[in-house]
Amino acid sequence: MAARAFTPSRPDRVADGTTETIQVLRTAVGIAATIWLLYAYPLRHSAADFAKDQAEQVFIGAGVLLIAAPVALGIFVAAARPPARSVYVRRLAGPAKGFLALFMSVLVLWGLLQNSAGASMAQQLGMWQIVFLPLALGAVLFAVPYGLTAVVLCVHYVFRAADVHEVLPALLSPVLVWALFAFQLAGSSPVDAPATVRALFLFGPPVSVSALSLWELRRLRRRFGITVRTALRGGTGGS
């Protein structure tokens, strides 16, 4: 269900298999490099703290997108010429579904888990708690994996920005990774590694994602004739 909510689904969207393959390879290289870093150098904190920090980065990324994506989509739609603008407004339904799906999952978790709100509500229901508690438990068991998957997918697919236009993921991805870079720069390294290694792992993700985004924009232009300028004029892969 999370995949259906956050995967771009516009039928006439231009999907480049080569770009998607390279993105997957880049992610795989990043995971392998992280595993090597953890194996080669001692952790400054516990493994649980490291896992918590990694999860926090994913949630920070989703938070950045919650702010940056609507602003970027609004600017893009407003900058488009009137014939294209109405088309892009209709296409905002895809990202809106992603926002709503993520918001509802977070709302359910917060309502049931925040300060034992679910248990307190059950006590107030008296005999009806026998009905409420199984429903609340089922909601939590669904919302936790759904919410975690939703956060990862919304970051990966940049809140279905490709449903509005193919150039938007390449424009938004660098904003996300450089925002995460700023948060990492303010914190401390999780491993006791030399300064050169720490710098490589600090600058590697934003630089590689930015380079891949530039390459994706170049490939869209050369292979499909899609550019930011043509997008604002109404030129799309599906039109």
Side-chain angles (χ1 to χ4, degrees):
M1 290 182 67
R4 287 196 316 203
F6 290 96
T7 303
S9 60
R10 178 164 57 88
D12 58 350
R13 178 177 63 91
V14 172
D16 187 1
T18 301
T19 300
E20 294 175 355
T21 299
I22 293 178
Q23 289 173 341
V24 171
L25 289 176
R26 183 213 156 273
T27 302
V29 170
I31 294 174
T34 301
I35 294 174
W36 171 83
L37 183 70
L38 298 177
Y39 177 79
Y41 300 100
L43 288 172
R44 291 182 173 178
H45 305 288
S46 66
D49 289 336
F50 174 79
K52 181 180 178 181
D53 290 340
Q54 296 302 306
E56 286 179 352
Q57 289 184 23
V58 176
F59 279 95
I60 289 173
V64 170
L65 281 178
L66 280 171
I67 299 173
V71 173
L73 290 174
I75 293 175
F76 179 82
V77 172
R81 292 187 176 181
R85 189 178 303 161
S86 60
V87 175
Y88 297 151
V89 168
R90 290 194 298 270
R91 291 180 180 177
L92 288 174
K97 291 177 182 177
F99 279 99
L100 180 61
L102 182 63
F103 175 77
M104 291 303 297
S105 64
V106 172
L107 183 63
V108 169
L109 285 175
W110 181 86
L112 294 175
L113 301 179
Q114 180 70 16
N115 296 324
S116 301
S120 300
M121 186 181 300
Q123 293 177 358
Q124 297 175 3
L125 292 176
M127 62 175 295
W128 291 104
Q129 64 180 296
I130 195 173
V131 177
F132 172 79
L133 287 175
L135 293 177
L137 178 61
V140 171
L141 292 177
F142 170 80
V144 169
Y146 178 87
L148 293 176
T149 306
V151 169
V152 173
L153 290 178
C154 81
V155 172
H156 178 73
Y157 289 112
V158 202
F159 268 122
R160 295 180 60 167
D163 271 348
V164 179
H165 199 279
E166 289 80 358
V167 301
L168 285 173
L171 295 176
L172 285 173
S173 294
V175 175
L176 171 62
V177 293
W178 283 106
L180 292 176
F181 168 82
F183 282 102
Q184 293 174 343
L185 195 63
S188 59
S189 174
V191 297
D192 191 11
T196 53
V197 175
R198 296 199 304 268
L200 178 62
F201 276 82
L202 185 63
F203 285 93
V207 171
S208 61
V209 169
S210 299
L212 182 57
S213 294
L214 290 174
W215 179 83
E216 182 179 356
L217 290 172
R218 182 174 179 268
R219 185 171 174 84
L220 285 172
R221 175 177 60 84
R222 298 189 66 177
R223 186 175 178 82
F224 303 104
I226 299 174
T227 66
V228 175
R229 180 176 297 180
T230 59
L232 296 177
R233 292 176 178 175
T236 65
S239 63

